[in-house]
Amino acid sequence: MRVLLVEDEKRLADLLKGGLAGEGFAVDVAHDGREGLWMAGENPYDVIVLDVMLPRMNGYTVCSRLRDAENWTPILMLTAKDGEHDEAEALDTGADDFLSKPFSYVVLSARLRALVRRGGRARPASIRVGDLVVDPAGLRCHRGGVEVSLTPKEFAVLHGLARRQGEVVSKGELLAQAWDFAYDGDPNIVEVYVSALRRKIDAPFGRSSLVTVRGAGYRLEA
């Protein structure tokens, strides 16, 4: 698995590169934003670790330019401690995940493996699954031209399924998509929202697109 690490603190970059290499990652390092942007555009990476505070071009700009160029390599951004605005801007500019400094190397490694499992793929402004249209930017959903009203949490679950249409998505993956890593409630809450989605996106239109795969999760089909 090939990783691009964009980090200007050379000691930290060396430590991370050594640790990741020891786990079997092939790691390339860039020490400023412009170099990182160039390397990301020239080489196929499985995942990018991108610091926010970089010389020559900050991490937000690098991330935004990669997405504008339709480069959908998963990006994990490293943000300031307790930087809620940093975290929000990281996600808004197209990052897939973030970690606040200082962070646990064990958590970083686990997050990278999770991002690699998900993989990068083109994510257009609207996602079409048959006659179902999911608009992540506008938080809107249409079926056959008819707008379907969803709560924010229902939309988050639907988006998690739509972006991986045709694939089985587990409860755990939907929890990570629609809730957060600190959620310690009943994982069966996912079933409640899946049932609500079926009542809204399937039943009124005579469809059966949201399928339960016993023991594995759910699949959204065209």
PDB file of all heavy atoms in Angstrom, residues 87-107:
ATOM      1  N   GLU A  87     -11.026  21.054  11.776  1.00  0.00           N
ATOM      2  CA  GLU A  87     -11.639  19.774  11.440  1.00  0.00           C
ATOM      3  C   GLU A  87     -12.797  19.961  10.465  1.00  0.00           C
ATOM      4  O   GLU A  87     -12.936  19.214   9.489  1.00  0.00           O
ATOM      5  CB  GLU A  87     -12.115  19.089  12.719  1.00  0.00           C
ATOM      6  CG  GLU A  87     -10.957  18.690  13.638  1.00  0.00           C
ATOM      7  CD  GLU A  87     -11.409  18.344  15.035  1.00  0.00           C
ATOM      8  OE1 GLU A  87     -12.631  18.403  15.296  1.00  0.00           O
ATOM      9  OE2 GLU A  87     -10.550  18.024  15.881  1.00  0.00           O
ATOM     10  N   ALA A  88     -13.629  20.978  10.723  1.00  0.00           N
ATOM     11  CA  ALA A  88     -14.769  21.233   9.839  1.00  0.00           C
ATOM     12  C   ALA A  88     -14.293  21.630   8.450  1.00  0.00           C
ATOM     13  O   ALA A  88     -14.823  21.149   7.435  1.00  0.00           O
ATOM     14  CB  ALA A  88     -15.648  22.341  10.431  1.00  0.00           C
ATOM     15  N   GLU A  89     -13.275  22.505   8.379  1.00  0.00           N
ATOM     16  CA  GLU A  89     -12.786  22.931   7.070  1.00  0.00           C
ATOM     17  C   GLU A  89     -12.117  21.782   6.325  1.00  0.00           C
ATOM     18  O   GLU A  89     -12.222  21.677   5.105  1.00  0.00           O
ATOM     19  CB  GLU A  89     -11.807  24.098   7.221  1.00  0.00           C
ATOM     20  CG  GLU A  89     -11.460  24.729   5.883  1.00  0.00           C
ATOM     21  CD  GLU A  89     -10.823  26.102   6.013  1.00  0.00           C
ATOM     22  OE1 GLU A  89     -10.727  26.623   7.141  1.00  0.00           O
ATOM     23  OE2 GLU A  89     -10.425  26.649   4.969  1.00  0.00           O
ATOM     24  N   ALA A  90     -11.443  20.894   7.069  1.00  0.00           N
ATOM     25  CA  ALA A  90     -10.823  19.728   6.430  1.00  0.00           C
ATOM     26  C   ALA A  90     -11.872  18.905   5.698  1.00  0.00           C
ATOM     27  O   ALA A  90     -11.680  18.511   4.539  1.00  0.00           O
ATOM     28  CB  ALA A  90     -10.103  18.880   7.481  1.00  0.00           C
ATOM     29  N   LEU A  91     -12.983  18.634   6.360  1.00  0.00           N
ATOM     30  CA  LEU A  91     -14.038  17.831   5.735  1.00  0.00           C
ATOM     31  C   LEU A  91     -14.719  18.595   4.607  1.00  0.00           C
ATOM     32  O   LEU A  91     -15.052  18.024   3.566  1.00  0.00           O
ATOM     33  CB  LEU A  91     -15.061  17.408   6.794  1.00  0.00           C
ATOM     34  CG  LEU A  91     -14.511  16.499   7.900  1.00  0.00           C
ATOM     35  CD1 LEU A  91     -15.585  16.241   8.952  1.00  0.00           C
ATOM     36  CD2 LEU A  91     -14.012  15.188   7.331  1.00  0.00           C
ATOM     37  N   ASP A  92     -14.922  19.902   4.810  1.00  0.00           N
ATOM     38  CA  ASP A  92     -15.592  20.709   3.783  1.00  0.00           C
ATOM     39  C   ASP A  92     -14.771  20.819   2.509  1.00  0.00           C
ATOM     40  O   ASP A  92     -15.337  20.986   1.422  1.00  0.00           O
ATOM     41  CB  ASP A  92     -15.885  22.111   4.318  1.00  0.00           C
ATOM     42  CG  ASP A  92     -17.032  22.131   5.319  1.00  0.00           C
ATOM     43  OD1 ASP A  92     -17.792  21.144   5.358  1.00  0.00           O
ATOM     44  OD2 ASP A  92     -17.158  23.116   6.069  1.00  0.00           O
ATOM     45  N   THR A  93     -13.441  20.757   2.609  1.00  0.00           N
ATOM     46  CA  THR A  93     -12.608  20.874   1.409  1.00  0.00           C
ATOM     47  C   THR A  93     -12.388  19.528   0.723  1.00  0.00           C
ATOM     48  O   THR A  93     -11.729  19.482  -0.312  1.00  0.00           O
ATOM     49  CB  THR A  93     -11.238  21.505   1.741  1.00  0.00           C
ATOM     50  OG1 THR A  93     -10.619  20.769   2.794  1.00  0.00           O
ATOM     51  CG2 THR A  93     -11.388  22.955   2.143  1.00  0.00           C
ATOM     52  N   GLY A  94     -12.921  18.445   1.302  1.00  0.00           N
ATOM     53  CA  GLY A  94     -12.868  17.165   0.609  1.00  0.00           C
ATOM     54  C   GLY A  94     -12.097  16.069   1.293  1.00  0.00           C
ATOM     55  O   GLY A  94     -11.951  14.979   0.733  1.00  0.00           O
ATOM     56  N   ALA A  95     -11.578  16.323   2.514  1.00  0.00           N
ATOM     57  CA  ALA A  95     -10.858  15.257   3.230  1.00  0.00           C
ATOM     58  C   ALA A  95     -11.838  14.167   3.652  1.00  0.00           C
ATOM     59  O   ALA A  95     -13.026  14.428   3.872  1.00  0.00           O
ATOM     60  CB  ALA A  95     -10.149  15.827   4.453  1.00  0.00           C
ATOM     61  N   ASP A  96     -11.335  12.954   3.783  1.00  0.00           N
ATOM     62  CA  ASP A  96     -12.170  11.820   4.171  1.00  0.00           C
ATOM     63  C   ASP A  96     -12.156  11.586   5.678  1.00  0.00           C
ATOM     64  O   ASP A  96     -13.071  10.978   6.227  1.00  0.00           O
ATOM     65  CB  ASP A  96     -11.692  10.549   3.463  1.00  0.00           C
ATOM     66  CG  ASP A  96     -11.796  10.677   1.955  1.00  0.00           C
ATOM     67  OD1 ASP A  96     -12.861  10.362   1.414  1.00  0.00           O
ATOM     68  OD2 ASP A  96     -10.814  11.099   1.322  1.00  0.00           O
ATOM     69  N   ASP A  97     -11.097  12.053   6.337  1.00  0.00           N
ATOM     70  CA  ASP A  97     -10.967  11.843   7.779  1.00  0.00           C
ATOM     71  C   ASP A  97      -9.954  12.849   8.302  1.00  0.00           C
ATOM     72  O   ASP A  97      -9.262  13.525   7.520  1.00  0.00           O
ATOM     73  CB  ASP A  97     -10.506  10.410   8.063  1.00  0.00           C
ATOM     74  CG  ASP A  97     -10.828   9.956   9.486  1.00  0.00           C
ATOM     75  OD1 ASP A  97     -11.301  10.785  10.291  1.00  0.00           O
ATOM     76  OD2 ASP A  97     -10.599   8.772   9.790  1.00  0.00           O
ATOM     77  N   PHE A  98      -9.837  12.965   9.630  1.00  0.00           N
ATOM     78  CA  PHE A  98      -8.861  13.878  10.215  1.00  0.00           C
ATOM     79  C   PHE A  98      -8.414  13.329  11.565  1.00  0.00           C
ATOM     80  O   PHE A  98      -9.086  12.511  12.188  1.00  0.00           O
ATOM     81  CB  PHE A  98      -9.451  15.284  10.391  1.00  0.00           C
ATOM     82  CG  PHE A  98     -10.646  15.330  11.305  1.00  0.00           C
ATOM     83  CD1 PHE A  98     -10.487  15.413  12.685  1.00  0.00           C
ATOM     84  CD2 PHE A  98     -11.931  15.284  10.788  1.00  0.00           C
ATOM     85  CE1 PHE A  98     -11.582  15.430  13.523  1.00  0.00           C
ATOM     86  CE2 PHE A  98     -13.037  15.305  11.626  1.00  0.00           C
ATOM     87  CZ  PHE A  98     -12.857  15.374  12.997  1.00  0.00           C
ATOM     88  N   LEU A  99      -7.247  13.791  12.007  1.00  0.00           N
ATOM     89  CA  LEU A  99      -6.733  13.517  13.341  1.00  0.00           C
ATOM     90  C   LEU A  99      -6.170  14.810  13.895  1.00  0.00           C
ATOM     91  O   LEU A  99      -5.520  15.574  13.167  1.00  0.00           O
ATOM     92  CB  LEU A  99      -5.624  12.465  13.311  1.00  0.00           C
ATOM     93  CG  LEU A  99      -6.011  10.991  13.398  1.00  0.00           C
ATOM     94  CD1 LEU A  99      -4.754  10.133  13.327  1.00  0.00           C
ATOM     95  CD2 LEU A  99      -6.785  10.690  14.667  1.00  0.00           C
ATOM     96  N   SER A 100      -6.415  15.067  15.182  1.00  0.00           N
ATOM     97  CA  SER A 100      -5.875  16.259  15.821  1.00  0.00           C
ATOM     98  C   SER A 100      -4.539  15.938  16.480  1.00  0.00           C
ATOM     99  O   SER A 100      -4.382  14.900  17.114  1.00  0.00           O
ATOM    100  CB  SER A 100      -6.853  16.786  16.883  1.00  0.00           C
ATOM    101  OG  SER A 100      -8.070  17.173  16.289  1.00  0.00           O
ATOM    102  N   LYS A 101      -3.582  16.837  16.318  1.00  0.00           N
ATOM    103  CA  LYS A 101      -2.285  16.688  16.973  1.00  0.00           C
ATOM    104  C   LYS A 101      -2.396  17.102  18.437  1.00  0.00           C
ATOM    105  O   LYS A 101      -3.097  18.079  18.738  1.00  0.00           O
ATOM    106  CB  LYS A 101      -1.239  17.561  16.289  1.00  0.00           C
ATOM    107  CG  LYS A 101      -0.882  17.135  14.873  1.00  0.00           C
ATOM    108  CD  LYS A 101       0.193  18.062  14.318  1.00  0.00           C
ATOM    109  CE  LYS A 101       0.631  17.641  12.926  1.00  0.00           C
ATOM    110  NZ  LYS A 101       1.663  18.561  12.386  1.00  0.00           N
ATOM    111  N   PRO A 102      -1.681  16.436  19.359  1.00  0.00           N
ATOM    112  CA  PRO A 102      -0.919  15.196  19.159  1.00  0.00           C
ATOM    113  C   PRO A 102      -1.862  14.006  19.042  1.00  0.00           C
ATOM    114  O   PRO A 102      -2.951  14.017  19.622  1.00  0.00           O
ATOM    115  CB  PRO A 102      -0.068  15.113  20.428  1.00  0.00           C
ATOM    116  CG  PRO A 102      -0.895  15.794  21.469  1.00  0.00           C
ATOM    117  CD  PRO A 102      -1.617  16.906  20.759  1.00  0.00           C
ATOM    118  N   PHE A 103      -1.476  12.992  18.309  1.00  0.00           N
ATOM    119  CA  PHE A 103      -2.343  11.849  18.081  1.00  0.00           C
ATOM    120  C   PHE A 103      -1.604  10.553  18.387  1.00  0.00           C
ATOM    121  O   PHE A 103      -0.375  10.517  18.461  1.00  0.00           O
ATOM    122  CB  PHE A 103      -2.852  11.819  16.637  1.00  0.00           C
ATOM    123  CG  PHE A 103      -1.756  11.911  15.615  1.00  0.00           C
ATOM    124  CD1 PHE A 103      -1.042  10.794  15.229  1.00  0.00           C
ATOM    125  CD2 PHE A 103      -1.441  13.132  15.029  1.00  0.00           C
ATOM    126  CE1 PHE A 103      -0.035  10.873  14.291  1.00  0.00           C
ATOM    127  CE2 PHE A 103      -0.420  13.229  14.092  1.00  0.00           C
ATOM    128  CZ  PHE A 103       0.278  12.098  13.724  1.00  0.00           C
ATOM    129  N   SER A 104      -2.366   9.506  18.545  1.00  0.00           N
ATOM    130  CA  SER A 104      -1.801   8.183  18.777  1.00  0.00           C
ATOM    131  C   SER A 104      -1.421   7.560  17.439  1.00  0.00           C
ATOM    132  O   SER A 104      -2.232   7.544  16.496  1.00  0.00           O
ATOM    133  CB  SER A 104      -2.834   7.294  19.490  1.00  0.00           C
ATOM    134  OG  SER A 104      -2.531   5.928  19.331  1.00  0.00           O
ATOM    135  N   TYR A 105      -0.194   7.047  17.362  1.00  0.00           N
ATOM    136  CA  TYR A 105       0.220   6.385  16.126  1.00  0.00           C
ATOM    137  C   TYR A 105      -0.668   5.182  15.824  1.00  0.00           C
ATOM    138  O   TYR A 105      -0.975   4.899  14.665  1.00  0.00           O
ATOM    139  CB  TYR A 105       1.686   5.935  16.214  1.00  0.00           C
ATOM    140  CG  TYR A 105       2.092   5.131  15.016  1.00  0.00           C
ATOM    141  CD1 TYR A 105       2.382   5.751  13.804  1.00  0.00           C
ATOM    142  CD2 TYR A 105       2.121   3.739  15.072  1.00  0.00           C
ATOM    143  CE1 TYR A 105       2.705   5.009  12.687  1.00  0.00           C
ATOM    144  CE2 TYR A 105       2.454   2.989  13.961  1.00  0.00           C
ATOM    145  CZ  TYR A 105       2.737   3.623  12.771  1.00  0.00           C
ATOM    146  OH  TYR A 105       3.045   2.887  11.659  1.00  0.00           O
ATOM    147  N   VAL A 106      -1.090   4.472  16.877  1.00  0.00           N
ATOM    148  CA  VAL A 106      -1.940   3.298  16.694  1.00  0.00           C
ATOM    149  C   VAL A 106      -3.246   3.697  16.006  1.00  0.00           C
ATOM    150  O   VAL A 106      -3.729   3.018  15.091  1.00  0.00           O
ATOM    151  CB  VAL A 106      -2.235   2.619  18.047  1.00  0.00           C
ATOM    152  CG1 VAL A 106      -3.264   1.510  17.879  1.00  0.00           C
ATOM    153  CG2 VAL A 106      -0.954   2.067  18.655  1.00  0.00           C
ATOM    154  N   VAL A 107      -3.823   4.842  16.435  1.00  0.00           N
ATOM    155  CA  VAL A 107      -5.067   5.327  15.824  1.00  0.00           C
ATOM    156  C   VAL A 107      -4.823   5.760  14.388  1.00  0.00           C
ATOM    157  O   VAL A 107      -5.623   5.469  13.486  1.00  0.00           O
ATOM    158  CB  VAL A 107      -5.664   6.483  16.652  1.00  0.00           C
ATOM    159  CG1 VAL A 107      -6.865   7.085  15.943  1.00  0.00           C
ATOM    160  CG2 VAL A 107      -6.056   5.991  18.035  1.00  0.00           C
TER     161      VAL A 107
END
